[in-house]
Amino acid sequence: LEVQHELLLSLKHWQSAATIMQRLADEGAEVYALALNPQAGGYVLRCKVRAISPSRARAFVSDLDVLAVGAACVEHFILAKAPAHAGA
């Protein structure tokens, strides 16, 4: 099994996304999907990460109060890993 997290953050400035990505890397999180889209005078950052615990992912989102504005959430997924020979 593998634990993955999807972070959804509202940002005032798109440049905040680079800082958030660096902070995730500093936490040891592996970002494997990323989208930054304009919305209502700001931006929405959606990223999928793995290699951090659910509690650390929640704490990470809570600690972004300066960078994130408005809505911020994290969803957790527990997925079965595909066998090494899948798709062969």
Side-chain angles (χ1 to χ4, degrees):
L1 296 177
E2 179 178 59
V3 178
Q4 298 179 1
H5 317 282
E6 182 174 67
L7 310 177
L8 183 62
L9 308 165
S10 295
L11 307 176
K12 185 172 183 176
H13 305 286
W14 66 267
Q15 296 92 334
S16 299
T19 303
I20 292 169
M21 292 300 98
Q22 184 59 53
R23 284 177 146 181
L24 283 168
D26 293 346
E27 290 287 331
E30 178 187 338
V31 177
Y32 66 93
L34 175 69
L36 181 64
N37 297 302
Q39 182 179 9
Y43 298 87
V44 173
L45 175 68
R46 179 184 302 262
C47 60
K48 295 183 180 183
V49 300
R50 53 184 162 226
I52 62 172
S53 70
S55 61
R56 190 60 212 131
R58 285 189 300 275
F60 181 85
V61 169
S62 295
D63 292 342
L64 293 176
D65 57 315
V66 174
L67 297 172
V69 294
C73 68
V74 60
E75 291 186 40
H76 311 287
F77 303 94
I78 299 175
L79 306 171
K81 289 185 179 182
H85 62 278

